[in-house]
Amino acid sequence: MRARRLGDVHVSAIGLGAMPLSVEGRPDEDAAVTTIHAALDAGVTLIDTADSYHWHAGETGHNESLVARALTRYGGDTGPVLVATKGGRGRPGDGSWTVTGTPEHLKNACDASRRRLGVDTLGLYQLHKPDPRVPWAESVGALAELLDAGKVRAVGISNVDTEQIREAHAVLGGRLASVQNRFSPAVRDSAPELRLCEELGVAFLPWSPLGGISRSVLEGPVADDRGAGHGTAYEPFHEVAREHGVSPQRVCLAWLLALSPVVVPIPGARRAASIRDSAAAADLVLSTEEIARLARDHGSHGAVRMRSDLRVA
């Protein structure tokens, strides 16, 4: 699979968002491990997880532990695999999410993630969400300390705006490796953050990248492969898919890759077939006309028109 830069390493152009394997509606462990192994077989070398990806109370770290077991059980080479995890959010078990961005919490959470993943140094550690009760520089400062201590190889931030990216980049002395924001056909309001990441040379990891084509697991049941339930707002993705003889999800991911060389989508998957299809997007080449057609805002549904200066890779 084609590779893209993330910090000082290269990862597969398409990653795996492992969250659906541990949250509501998750598959059994054997099926989940099969999905992770299918991703690795397809050339995926970036797996995104978090300590808060679990379903029930008392399950903190469920997804991290699952990923660790899957990697241990894999028969191939896992050396190139970068596991990206996150800290700073929690799930009480009632479906809600909490935010805790104190330096003490982040440092303790990092140590717990290292234990669950069975590593001395985390490949990528990301602050899951800014805590409005904690000065941003203090939260990011904790990431800098983890870097300096050698507990993490690279650090990133998630769910942030351009001002927070610039401040984090400064606090980290230019060592910010990634930004993970929501971005998809349906939700395009992080276009300014994507442009800034390109300017700074920071990887941009769209979460829930298939929104508008398939529903996020945070929003309810996933749509079928025809995008059922979404009307005609995103029909151009389905039109291009028919022209290429592929799924609209694959077209969606190829479109995201075409937006900028810093984009590394991390689609979630519950089934092996889903991640195999997603991984194949790295080899789908769209024409300039197709990219322009897909870049248009074809309906509301939470979509925000992208500025025309977001360049095509």
Side-chain angles (χ1 to χ4, degrees), residues 74-307:
Y74 186 62
D77 180 16
T78 59
V81 177
L82 175 68
V83 176
T85 192
K86 296 180 286 294
R89 300 205 76 178
R91 299 200 78 191
D94 59 1
S96 66
W97 295 76
T98 60
V99 181
T100 307
T102 63
E104 180 182 17
H105 174 83
L106 293 173
K107 292 174 185 177
N108 290 336
C110 175
D111 286 339
S113 291
R114 290 164 58 222
R115 289 192 295 271
R116 285 188 291 265
L117 288 166
V119 297
D120 293 327
T121 303
L122 294 173
L124 174 64
Y125 193 62
Q126 304 160 99
L127 177 56
H128 207 151
K129 188 175 183 178
D131 185 342
R133 301 164 300 178
V134 179
W136 182 234
E138 291 185 14
S139 295
V140 177
L143 299 182
E145 292 183 36
L146 292 171
L147 268 174
D148 294 338
K151 293 185 175 183
V152 300
R153 181 173 181 177
V155 294
I157 52 180
S158 183
N159 300 302
V160 289
D161 59 28
T162 54
E163 182 178 347
Q164 290 164 330
I165 294 173
R166 291 189 185 278
E167 184 174 358
H169 190 261
V171 170
L172 291 165
R175 296 181 293 175
L176 180 64
S178 66
V179 168
Q180 187 175 143
N181 276 13
R182 188 173 190 176
F183 194 91
S184 69
V187 182
R188 308 185 188 190
D189 50 355
S190 276
E193 287 72 29
L194 171 50
R195 286 192 298 274
L196 178 57
C197 284
E198 188 174 66
E199 174 188 324
L200 298 175
V202 172
F204 184 86
L205 281 53
W207 65 264
S208 196
L210 299 175
I213 308 300
S214 294
R215 292 176 64 83
S216 164
V217 294
L218 293 177
E219 300 171 316
V222 176
D224 65 23
D225 288 341
R226 298 181 300 279
H230 292 283
T232 59
Y234 307 104
E235 183 59 25
F237 287 88
H238 298 265
E239 292 172 354
V240 173
R242 287 192 292 270
E243 292 163 7
H244 283 270
V246 300
S247 71
Q249 287 84 356
R250 193 183 303 187
V251 170
C252 175
L253 295 172
W255 168 69
L256 287 167
L257 289 173
L259 293 178
S260 170
V262 302
V263 171
V264 184
I266 47 172
R270 284 191 177 95
R271 300 179 299 117
S274 298
I275 189 57
R276 290 190 194 104
D277 185 68
S278 292
D283 297 321
L284 177 59
V285 178
L286 301 175
S287 69
T288 301
E289 183 277 329
E290 288 171 331
I291 294 168
R293 196 189 339 166
L294 299 174
R296 300 188 191 106
D297 180 2
H298 294 279
S300 53
H301 300 278
V304 176
R305 186 177 299 277
M306 295 171 59
R307 280 185 31 193

Side-chain angles (χ1 to χ4, degrees), residues 19-94:
M19 183 178 77
L21 302 176
S22 289
V23 297
E24 291 83 340
R26 67 193 182 201
D28 63 42
E29 177 156 330
D30 286 344
V33 169
T34 296
T35 298
I36 294 171
H37 288 178
L40 300 176
D41 289 342
V44 171
T45 61
L46 172 64
I47 300 176
D48 180 78
T49 181
D51 59 2
S52 57
Y53 290 169
H54 62 88
W55 187 347
H56 307 291
E59 287 189 329
T60 298
H62 181 282
N63 198 242
E64 292 175 320
S65 298
L66 172 65
V67 168
R69 289 193 295 272
L71 291 174
T72 299
R73 291 164 56 180
Y74 186 62
D77 180 16
T78 59
V81 177
L82 175 68
V83 176
T85 192
K86 296 180 286 294
R89 300 205 76 178
R91 299 200 78 191
D94 59 1

